[in-house]
């Protein structure tokens, strides 16, 4: 049998929970079954704890030798419990990484995280850079590169295109506070000829730059069909130069869910040229990579209308693929092929 274990999701509007619930839906679509309780959606921390705990215990009890179990990582305190008992039963574990605790939040040492992940039969990682980093740090489990996260929604991106001959506009979705992403305000001040459309909470109420336009939190289905801007920007930290701070550095390895959102909205992407997805964006022809946002006005001015239309068409094509779960389906197929090729006991 092919399994996954659902849990309680407290913040379904967040990027992290959206990615995980999408993967559960995709797994259902390709023949996987939920070994635990039905997907929970309670915001109560106490209720959420007991729903997830009960789901995990029930899921582990149903596993049998030779089964495949897909786990989404991190699973907080439950991951080690599930993996060790599943491995003891002879179950094949496929771990899909969402976040690395040792790299981003420093909650684990690198050695601790690599050790626990290496118990998997296959690990699905974000990018080739993440695969290499894990391998260089001692990962022994086979790895499959996911690339772009899928973004399920029946909503279609808007067909009309903001004129590239008009005032350019960049879109950013996420934490818009000065503390988390001060680059937004620096760009607004240094490049007044470019509008920045902000979708998210935390916008400084005292902003005096009219080119920063706050839309507040917008549900993804609405955003996909109404997003303003010519490009979606994947940038983190307080600097206009890429790679600043922990999140900026992490961009070298991860696949930000917001990039999938931008592409679902039919927008080409602007990303740091050393980001883990920079090569993917270039290969797919769905955006540009830059070392800094300091001269982004000059960079955009050099892009011809035909070049932009080409990126836009490519973004529409990728949007369709992401709406159908093609990234996860391909990664799971590769993981299953690896498992089938491994010698059985």
């Amino acid at each position: 049998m092919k399994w996954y274990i659902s849990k309680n999701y407290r913040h379904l509007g967040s990027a992290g929970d959206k990615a995980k619930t999408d993967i559960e839906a995709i797994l259902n679509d390709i023949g996987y079954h939920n070994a635990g309780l039905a997907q929970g959606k309670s915001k109560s921390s106490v209720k959420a704890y007991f729903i997830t705990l009960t789901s995990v215990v029930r899921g582990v009890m149903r596993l049998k030798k030779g089964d495949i179990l897909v786990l989404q990582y991190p699973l907080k305190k439950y991951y080690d419990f599930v993996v060790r008992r599943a491995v003891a039963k002879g179950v094949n574990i496929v771990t899909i990484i969402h976040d690395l605790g040792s790299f981003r939040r420093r909650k684990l040492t690198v050695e601790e995280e690599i050790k626990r992940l290496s118990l998997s039969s296959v690990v699905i990682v974000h990018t080739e850079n993440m695969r290499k980093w894990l391998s260089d740090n001692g990962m022994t489990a086979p790895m499959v590169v996911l690339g772009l996260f899928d973004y399920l929604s029946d909503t279609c991106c808007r067909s009309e295109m903001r004129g590239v001959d008009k005032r350019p506009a960049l879109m950013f979705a996420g934490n818009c506070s000065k503390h988390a992403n001060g680059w937004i305000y620096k760009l607004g001040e240094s490049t007044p000829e470019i509008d920045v459309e902000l979708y998210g909470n935390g916008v400084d109420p005292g902003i005096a730059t009219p080119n920063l336009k706050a839309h507040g939190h917008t549900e993804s289905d609405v955003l996909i069909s109404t997003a303003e801007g010519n490009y979606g920007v994947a940038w983190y930290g307080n600097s206009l130069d890429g790679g600043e701070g922990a999140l900026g550095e992490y961009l070298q390895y991860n696949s930000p869910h917001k990039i999938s959102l931008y592409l679902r909205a039919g927008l080409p992407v602007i990303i740091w040229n050393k980001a883990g997805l920079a090569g993917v964006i270039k290969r797919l022809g769905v955006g540009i990579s830059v070392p800094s946002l300091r001269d982004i006005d000059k960079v955009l001015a050099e892009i011809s209308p035909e070049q932009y239309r080409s990126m836009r068409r490519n973004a529409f094509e990728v949007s369709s693929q992401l709406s159908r779960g093609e990234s996860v389906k391909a990664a799971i197929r590769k993981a299953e092929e690896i498992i089938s090729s491994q010698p059985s006991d």
Side-chain angles (χ1 to χ4, degrees):
M1 289 285 289
K2 300 177 181 180
W3 302 101
Y4 67 92
I5 298 177
S6 190
K7 61 184 285 288
N8 185 84
Y9 294 99
R10 296 177 59 193
H11 307 288
L12 288 177
S14 69
D17 282 356
K18 166 67 174 168
K20 292 173 183 176
T21 55
D22 277 358
I23 287 176
E24 289 189 9
I26 295 165
L27 290 172
N28 274 325
D29 192 42
I30 58 176
Y32 281 72
H33 304 276
N34 178 16
L37 298 180
Q39 187 182 101
K41 299 178 182 179
S42 172
K43 292 185 179 181
S44 164
S45 58
V46 175
K47 187 175 181 180
Y49 171 79
F50 283 106
I51 290 174
T52 299
L53 176 61
T54 305
S55 186
V56 164
V57 172
R58 181 176 188 268
V60 169
M61 291 176 62
R62 298 180 72 181
L63 301 175
K64 292 181 172 56
K65 183 177 181 178
D67 288 351
I68 297 177
L69 173 64
V70 174
L71 293 176
Q72 301 196 61
Y73 181 88
L75 190 58
K76 295 188 176 179
K77 59 182 73 68
Y78 309 108
Y79 182 79
D80 287 341
F81 169 80
V82 175
V83 170
R84 293 186 183 282
R85 281 154 182 77
V87 169
K89 286 186 170 188
V91 174
N92 299 288
I93 304 292
V94 177
T95 295
I96 301 177
I97 292 177
H98 286 274
D99 204 5
L100 291 172
S102 63
F103 195 97
R104 181 173 171 184
R105 294 187 172 89
R106 318 293 186 188
K107 290 188 175 182
L108 295 167
T109 66
V110 173
E111 292 76 15
E112 288 171 335
E113 191 150 55
I114 298 296
K115 183 177 180 180
R116 61 162 49 171
L117 289 171
S118 291
L119 292 175
S120 301
S121 303
V122 182
V123 177
I124 297 177
V125 303
H126 292 200
T127 65
E128 181 60 30
N129 284 359
M130 182 178 283
R131 186 205 64 75
K132 185 176 186 305
W133 185 84
L134 288 167
S135 179
D136 290 346
N137 282 280
M139 173 75 86
T140 57
M143 288 177 276
V144 171
V145 175
L146 175 66
L148 295 167
F149 274 92
D150 293 307
Y151 210 103
L152 303 188
S153 174
D154 292 331
T155 304
C156 296
C157 41
R158 61 196 302 175
S159 57
E160 71 272 18
M161 181 177 70
R162 179 175 177 137
V164 292
D165 56 337
K166 297 181 179 180
R167 182 182 175 88
L170 309 181
M171 170 192 166
F172 177 78
N175 188 335
C176 298
S177 70
K178 274 190 175 181
H179 173 73
N181 286 300
W183 67 267
I184 294 170
Y185 303 89
K186 292 178 180 178
L187 181 65
E189 293 173 358
S190 66
T191 317
E193 61 273 23
I194 290 181
D195 290 333
V196 185
E197 311 285 348
L198 301 173
Y199 293 87
N201 298 321
V203 177
D204 184 349
I207 57 174
T209 46
N211 57 325
L212 297 184
K213 303 181 184 299
H215 299 270
H217 174 74
T218 306
E219 293 297 328
S220 59
D221 282 348
V222 176
L223 187 53
I224 287 170
S225 62
T226 63
E228 294 287 343
N230 301 111
Y231 300 86
V233 182
W235 213 264
Y236 295 105
N238 292 316
S239 175
L240 292 175
D241 300 315
E244 188 269 352
L247 277 177
E249 185 182 2
Y250 193 44
L251 193 57
Q252 293 181 75
Y253 305 96
N254 77 328
S255 176
H257 200 237
K258 67 170 82 297
I259 289 181
S260 299
L261 171 60
Y262 297 151
L263 293 172
R264 280 291 287 113
L267 295 180
V269 175
I270 296 174
I271 193 171
W272 182 35
N273 65 343
K274 293 183 180 178
L277 281 182
V280 174
I281 298 302
K282 180 180 180 180
R283 174 172 56 82
L284 295 175
V286 292
I288 59 173
S289 60
V290 295
S292 170
L293 294 175
R294 294 184 187 278
D295 299 313
I296 193 62
D297 54 334
K298 298 181 180 63
V299 173
L300 297 183
E302 293 176 357
I303 296 174
S304 70
E306 179 50 44
Q307 287 174 319
Y308 181 78
R309 282 192 289 269
S310 176
M311 288 189 287
R312 175 85 168 175
R313 286 193 297 269
N314 293 338
F316 268 78
E317 182 176 340
V318 172
S319 175
S320 177
Q321 295 169 4
L322 299 181
S323 73
R324 300 193 303 269
E326 297 299 332
S327 288
V328 169
K329 289 176 183 177
I332 292 294
R333 283 195 297 269
K334 291 179 182 177
E336 290 175 348
E337 290 171 3
I338 291 172
I339 289 171
S340 66
S341 68
Q342 292 172 345
S344 57
D345 294 335

